[in-house]
Amino acid sequence: MVQGRLASLTLLLVLTGVLWFSAEAFKKTGVLRIRRIPGLDAIDELVGRVTEMGRPMAFVLGGTALEAQGFASMRILDYVASQSAKYDARLFVVAPLPEMEPMCQEIMRAAYLREGKVEEYNPSDVLYMPGDGSKAGVLGLYQREKVAGAMLFGNYYYESMLFAEAANLAGASQIGGTANYHQLPFFVASCDYTLISEEIFAAGTYLSKEPTEVGGLTAGEVGKALAVVLMIIGSLLATFGNDSISTLLTK
Amino acid sequence: MKRQGPVLVAFVTGVIVLAGYFFNSQTVVDMSTQIVRWQNIVAAFALALGGVNMFRLHGKNIIGRKKNWVYSCIFMVAFVSYFVLGVAKSTTSAEYQYIWQNLYQPAASTMYSFTLFYMTSACWRAFRIRNWQAAVLMVTGAVVLLGQVGIGAAISEAIPAVSAWIIDTPNAAAIRAITIGGSLGMVVMSIRVILGLERTYMAGRQD
Amino acid sequence: MQQLKQTHIIWIVLTVAVLLPLIFPLKLPLGPSPEGEAAYSFIDNLPQGSISIMVLETAPSNEGELWPMALAVARHHMEKQHRIIMATFVPDGTMYAEKIRALAESDYGYVYGKDLVILPYRAGGETALASMADNIRAAYQQDHYGTPLTDYPLWADVKSIKDISVISCYTAGDDHLWLARHVWAKYQVPCISGNIALSTPEAIVYFKNGQLVGLISGVKGAAFYEQKINMPGLATQSMDAQSIGHLYLLLLMIGGNIVYWKQKKDGKNGKQGAKKNV
């Protein structure tokens, strides 16, 4: 065992266990208490808006590497694609990474298939825009296609301000979400709704209410509760010169 | 098999890399290091895949004379010529670097500078005092803005000190809270991917 | 249309406000930077011949903030006659490494392969950096030009990451976090992070916890470093413009509120009135 990683391993095993057991519990009871997340409620509203206006919507994924936020964002895309297919709203998807593009294509195709409209699916609506090219590309897309809605989710960096404010100036309503704390102020300033940090990970549960999603959300909440308890006890003990919690965490 | 294959790969590689992080066994560490190196190779292939996809998309636009096909022609000329130059004369050649420094670099810097313009127009709206929380936001924003540059220190020595306190104390506390919440979300999402419970990325719902 | 006109006016005034101090410098004071001071002192105290790695995660989109600090630190290493290895995990990084090489050869008489080496670009970001930390000789066999690294005398002194005296990165992303995780936590190799100002609130936590031995934050940090090495450059020049830019943002915040309260008094309610976030 590598020195200092016992606490991490224990937490990982605890979270995996909680995920499993709470998923099983939800299968039996079907009871889920989850607070309202206005940004996710607004997705249907936004799809309705673009449908009424007869203008398209853009779903722009952020990312310099495919990681957890990317997967969570694709979970939201899955729902948005279904809603768009259902209400015949045109949806452009911008993938910033080469490996994301085929994934987005599959998600879109499956959504149209579920709604029985696979022949209406246009693969050209999924755009791969890499690196710095994506900045000009997305701004051009907003202007050329006159988008009425923009959804910006994932691992965003400075482009958050660019994409959100440009959408605002193009008259589009926006929903943004990222776990990158440094970009949250920009989304809050420019978007109509913002999903803050773990809210994008909760989106899957909120939108699908599927058992393993519920398990994942519960595990995250248990982890947070543990962190809060450890912080309070650790701070109190440290105040009185006892560093047993920090020693425990570095074992 | 189309779905089970990727799930199996994610599970096996995920467990080995995790084990390599937690345990000292040289065999496991070697396997983990090897997988991480494979990931680098796969990432390089993914870049090539992206290039092929763009080539295909713009090629279709040109052949089908689709909307804005002229832009696709510009892309093709730029893509092919820069690619050929890079392969034929290498990316360290003077010609390759000349194009990068005199065409790409200024264009990309221009895109970044747009951020400042958009930030100012957002600033005009975002700091409106609609309630007391917005008032707190505006006052702290103003102090940090001034404290980060020389003009703050020129007005009063207290401004950079208060600005540093805001960044180091309440701001750091909020960031840590957001980071803990976000990190736990990432851990759980990663567990779901490794265990094959998260399949949206291959258009599979959890059924 | 009304909003567009207003936005254009805001942008035009901004352009003038930022350009003027670049033409007519105001020479405003910089203020302290303890984390920049720590970075400077650490490098300054390294003995001659120490090997450092500079991870250039610089791209044209962020070079305004990152390039001046990378250049200042590189100059500092050269002044102290440290040996430099440059690595990158972004495709554009090697272009900046070439610029540093040109400077080293022309101004400091550095010899490529003996005093300085450029490693090739590696895709993969965090995993690529982790590979470098775990086994640098396995992660890199050739340099940026395709020459085997074993041909260079500098490489003979690099058996593992522990032979490196300091690793500094220049990043608009999370490299400071990667360094803390894969380099400091595992091998206790000292790390310095050069960040865009936006990510300072996170990176500073790592500095205060001792996981980074120094932190250079944005243009201000770069200007501070330039002044420490007594070579005012790009960052020092742009600090006045940044000061005026910040002042202008402050005026916009006040102006926006005046307009908002006036509109509220007149009973107007535009799109912004319906925004949910603030």
Side-chain angles (χ1 to χ4, degrees), chain A residues 155 157 180 182, chain C residues 171-179 195 199 202:
Chain A
N155 186 8
Y157 286 93
N180 292 4
H182 41 77
Chain C
T171 177
D174 294 330
D175 292 51
H176 52 278
L177 216 150
W178 306 346
L179 288 176
N195 289 74
S199 41
E202 184 190 58

Side-chain angles (χ1 to χ4, degrees), chain C residues 114-134:
Chain C
K114 179 174 154 279
D115 305 309
L116 176 136
V117 159
I118 303 176
L119 299 177
Y121 156 66
R122 283 277 183 270
E126 183 173 4
T127 51
L129 184 131
S131 304
M132 182 177 86
D134 290 338

Side-chain angles (χ1 to χ4, degrees), chain B residues 39-40 92 97 100 105 109 112 117 124-125 127-130 138 142 145 148 150 168 171 175-176, chain C residues 6 11 15 29 60-61 63 65 92 98-99 127 144 201 205 208 220 243 246 249-250 257 260-261 272:
Chain B
Q39 199 270 340
N40 298 341
T92 57
Q97 296 204 7
W100 187 88
Q105 190 181 10
S109 297
Y112 185 60
F117 290 93
W124 177 256
R125 291 192 323 271
F127 286 95
R128 291 181 179 179
I129 303 175
R130 296 186 173 87
M138 183 181 158
L145 264 178
Q148 288 299 97
D168 292 353
N171 181 55
I175 283 171
R176 285 179 192 189
Chain C
Q6 185 188 62
W11 289 351
T15 310
S61 55
E63 71 168 31
E65 287 192 86
D92 300 323
E98 295 264 13
K99 288 185 185 185
T127 51
H144 170 53
V205 176
K208 295 206 163 170
K220 185 187 173 188
S243 280
H246 280 210
L249 287 180
L250 187 64
N257 272 293
Y260 171 67
W261 285 100
Q272 279 72 47

Side-chain angles (χ1 to χ4, degrees), chain C residues 138-189:
Chain C
Y140 296 98
Q141 269 104 33
Q142 294 177 327
D143 74 347
H144 170 53
Y145 308 100
T147 310
L149 283 161
T150 44
D151 289 1
Y152 298 127
L154 169 54
W155 202 244
D157 291 340
V158 182
K159 300 279 184 277
S160 79
I161 201 77
K162 291 192 172 183
D163 293 320
I164 305 300
S165 301
V166 65
I167 300 185
S168 58
C169 71
Y170 306 89
T171 177
D174 294 330
D175 292 51
H176 52 278
L177 216 150
W178 306 346
L179 288 176
R181 265 185 213 151
H182 302 290
V183 180
W184 175 253
K186 283 167 119 175
Y187 305 104
Q188 286 77 51
V189 175

Side-chain angles (χ1 to χ4, degrees), chain A residues 157-231:
Chain A
Y157 286 93
Y158 82 87
E159 65 274 16
S160 62
M161 182 83 248
L162 219 54
F163 293 171
E165 185 61 10
N168 186 63
L169 293 175
S173 290
Q174 321 96 304
I175 305 174
T178 179
N180 292 4
Y181 74 89
H182 41 77
Q183 300 307 315
L184 283 169
F186 298 134
F187 276 155
V188 171
S190 283
C191 293
D192 295 282
Y193 295 92
T194 305
L195 298 187
I196 295 173
S197 195
E198 65 263 38
E199 285 180 346
I200 69 165
F201 298 108
T205 319
Y206 197 83
L207 299 171
S208 75
K209 298 188 176 56
E210 184 274 332
T212 67
E213 297 267 16
V214 176
L217 183 67
T218 314
E221 295 301 302
V222 168
K224 259 191 282 182
L226 262 174
V228 170
V229 169
L230 284 173
M231 261 192 287

Side-chain angles (χ1 to χ4, degrees), chain B:
Chain B
M1 193 59 205
K2 192 186 165 196
R3 301 254 164 88
Q4 279 131 351
V7 168
L8 192 67
V9 170
F11 177 76
V12 173
T13 54
V15 168
I16 292 173
V17 172
L18 272 177
Y21 180 77
F22 289 115
F23 300 107
N24 279 323
S25 158
Q26 197 52 48
T27 316
V28 176
V29 171
D30 287 347
M31 284 167 77
S32 165
T33 309
Q34 199 61 33
I35 287 171
V36 171
R37 288 176 66 192
W38 290 349
Q39 199 270 340
N40 298 341
I41 295 165
V42 172
F45 270 101
L47 268 179
L49 174 74
V52 171
N53 278 343
M54 292 196 73
F55 202 83
R56 208 177 51 191
L57 176 75
H58 289 282
K60 275 184 189 170
N61 283 353
I62 295 168
I63 293 165
R65 292 283 195 279
K66 288 184 182 170
K67 194 179 164 190
N68 297 320
W69 66 276
V70 179
Y71 296 125
S72 293
C73 292
I74 296 170
F75 166 82
M76 282 293 190
V77 171
F79 185 92
V80 173
S81 55
Y82 208 43
F83 181 78
V84 169
L85 187 67
V87 171
K89 301 207 77 174
S90 108
T91 55
T92 57
S93 67
E95 294 86 348
Y96 188 91
Q97 296 204 7
Y98 179 84
I99 293 175
W100 187 88
Q101 282 173 5
N102 295 290
L103 207 72
Y104 175 69
Q105 190 181 10
S109 297
T110 305
M111 284 316 300
Y112 185 60
S113 69
F114 276 14
T115 316
L116 177 63
F117 290 93
Y118 285 138
M119 208 180 281
T120 47
S121 51
C123 207
W124 177 256
R125 291 192 323 271
F127 286 95
R128 291 181 179 179
I129 303 175
R130 296 186 173 87
N131 48 42
W132 70 268
Q133 292 102 322
V136 173
L137 182 73
M138 183 181 158
V139 172
T140 48
V143 172
V144 172
L145 264 178
L146 287 176
Q148 288 299 97
V149 287
I151 207 161
I155 296 167
S156 164
E157 286 297 320
I159 292 177
V162 175
S163 164
W165 179 83
I166 291 170
I167 290 172
D168 292 353
T169 312
N171 181 55
I175 283 171
R176 285 179 192 189
I178 291 173
T179 306
I180 290 170
S183 305
L184 283 164
M186 286 186 204
V187 170
V188 171
M189 177 57 83
S190 305
I191 295 172
R192 287 172 48 76
V193 172
I194 290 172
L195 295 180
L197 300 171
E198 177 56 53
R199 298 181 191 180
T200 316
Y201 64 94
M202 43 184 168
R205 290 198 161 178
Q206 294 72 20
D207 34 35

